[in-house]
Structure formats: C-alpha cells, structure tokens
Amino acid sequence: KLDLSRAWNKARLVYLQKSQQEKLRKEQQDWAARFLRDKMDRINNQTARSPAMIRMAAINKVQLLFRHFRQDHIFDRSYALGTNVNTRVQQMMKGVSMMASFSSLSIKDVLQLTL
C-alpha cells in the first residue's frame, strides 16, 4: 500500500506540472495573439507620412549625422576644412556677400547630349 501511494503522488505531481505548463503555454499564446492584434490595429489606424515629411526627416537626419561627424573630426583635429570654416547659414547671419555664376547650354546642345 505504501508503494502505491508514492506512485500516485508522483503521478499527481507530474500531471499538475504538465497541466501548469500547458496552461502557461496557452496564456502566452493568448497574450501574443492580443499583442499582435493590438499592433496590427495601431498600424491600420496610422496615417501614411507625406513625401514632404519623409524628405524633411531624411534631410534632418543627414544634417545631424554630418554635424556629429564634423564635430568629432574637429575634436580629433583631423577635419579637412578646419574649425574656421563657416557654414552658409553662419555666413548669411554675419552678412557676408556672396557671388553666384550660372552657365547654360542651348536647346540644340542639350538635345544633342541627350540623344
């Protein structure tokens, strides 16, 4: 009788352990399904960004990365233009006069280059 009670206790513990694992797996599946459903709902409710917004974000990111690159190289004293170079915006704020030059081609020359 003693041997049977040990076997039943062990079987009961194994059954409880497996049932808890199964319950935990089911809860995780339900949680993952809810998470994915919520994420898909949020994606469906989002509006697409306009091309102008995407363009501005890309330009801002490039400018930010270049600014960090420039500052790092100025700090390392390896920036090719040095620290005395002012940006166009800085030159504009100081009132530096600038000159511009334009050249163009005739329609005949442009058509000849494209063909």
Side-chain angles (χ1 to χ4, degrees):
K1 190 174 185 181
L2 190 59
D3 292 333
L4 290 177
S5 100
R6 268 203 259 161
W8 279 109
N9 282 335
K10 184 174 182 179
R12 181 176 165 272
L13 289 174
V14 169
Y15 170 76
L16 289 174
Q17 186 179 19
K18 286 192 180 204
S19 64
Q20 285 176 349
Q21 288 174 349
E22 186 65 28
K23 181 181 175 186
L24 179 64
R25 189 176 66 78
K26 178 74 170 137
E27 288 174 356
Q28 287 175 340
Q29 283 179 342
D30 291 343
W31 182 86
R34 275 195 313 274
F35 176 78
L36 288 175
R37 186 188 68 230
D38 292 344
K39 188 164 183 83
M40 292 302 291
D41 287 342
R42 272 183 274 143
I43 289 172
N44 287 335
N45 292 335
Q46 281 181 340
T47 58
R49 293 192 301 173
S50 67
M53 286 176 59
I54 294 171
R55 190 178 308 112
M56 285 304 297
I59 290 170
N60 288 339
K61 184 165 183 162
V62 168
Q63 288 175 341
L64 179 70
L65 291 174
F66 179 75
R67 198 173 300 121
H68 288 305
F69 167 82
R70 183 175 181 268
Q71 290 300 325
D72 289 343
H73 283 277
I74 287 173
F75 183 75
D76 293 339
R77 297 180 187 267
S78 63
Y79 189 61
L81 300 177
T83 57
N84 295 330
V85 175
N86 292 325
T87 64
R88 300 262 183 203
V89 175
Q90 290 170 338
Q91 291 174 8
M92 178 195 63
M93 299 293 267
K94 289 180 181 177
V96 175
S97 60
M98 306 291 281
M99 288 194 187
S101 168
F102 299 98
S103 62
S104 62
L105 298 174
S106 67
I107 295 174
K108 183 179 176 183
D109 292 338
V110 170
L111 291 175
Q112 188 176 5
L113 287 173
T114 58
L115 298 175

